[in-house]
């Protein structure tokens, strides 16, 4: 069982940056592929980024590629999402995900409660 707690969301102007953090409980964190998803109002939850257990492999949605960086610190049981050059269309609730088997919502075994990111124009 893994519990995930996100932090770092907030209100930022377009062009600004935010760093999201996800603290995980459980001794198996370092063995899990981790990721971030987001859900905007009226839209389905979508994949944002993922990172392998070692941190050696990452993947991104086209919508955030080049503007976001996912990273992890297995010693701290924490995964991060650095988001730069934020756009109003990045506004969403961002969810931390653990034990991803793919990029679809159904591929995720554990979810955090979400953190709101709002980008003003």
């Amino acid at each position: 069982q893994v519990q995930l707690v996100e932090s770092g969301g907030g209100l930022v102007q377009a062009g600004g940056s935010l760093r999201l953090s996800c603290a995980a409980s459980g001794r198996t964190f370092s063995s899990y592929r981790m990721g971030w998803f987001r859900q905007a109002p009226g839209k389905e939850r979508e994949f944002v980024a993922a990172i392998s257990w070692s941190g050696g492999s990452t993947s991104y949605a086209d919508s955030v590629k080049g503007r976001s960086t996912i990273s992890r610190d297995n010693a701290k049981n924490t995964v991060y999402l650095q988001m730069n050059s934020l756009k109003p269309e990045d506004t969403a609730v961002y969810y931390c995900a653990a034990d991803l088997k793919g990029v679809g919502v159904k591929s995720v075994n554990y979810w955090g409660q979400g953190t709101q990111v709002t980008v003003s124009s």
Side-chain angles (χ1 to χ4, degrees):
Q1 186 75 11
V2 175
Q3 291 185 328
L4 306 171
V5 179
E6 301 97 332
S7 61
L11 175 63
V12 63
Q13 289 188 334
S17 299
L18 280 176
R19 188 194 196 201
L20 306 183
S21 299
C22 172
S25 65
R27 293 177 294 176
T28 56
F29 170 83
S30 62
S31 68
Y32 287 147
R33 185 167 178 249
M34 300 291 295
W36 291 92
F37 287 68
R38 67 186 183 186
Q39 188 167 16
K43 295 188 177 181
E44 294 185 351
R45 193 172 297 189
E46 63 177 8
F47 170 77
V48 175
I51 187 167
S52 63
W53 67 271
S54 67
S57 175
T58 58
S59 60
Y60 299 91
D62 288 343
S63 58
V64 304
K65 194 174 296 182
R67 301 188 295 120
S68 297
T69 302
I70 188 171
S71 60
R72 67 190 296 163
D73 185 340
N74 287 342
K76 295 183 178 180
N77 276 16
T78 301
V79 63
Y80 307 96
L81 183 67
Q82 176 69 44
M83 301 187 293
N84 302 321
S85 302
L86 283 162
K87 306 174 182 180
E89 50 263 45
D90 293 317
T91 295
V93 177
Y94 283 71
Y95 295 91
C96 181
D99 195 17
L100 279 72
K101 306 302 183 185
V103 297
V105 171
K106 293 183 178 181
S107 72
V108 176
N109 279 330
Y110 303 101
W111 292 101
Q113 83 288 351
T115 186
Q116 177 70 47
V117 171
T118 302
V119 184
S120 62
S121 57

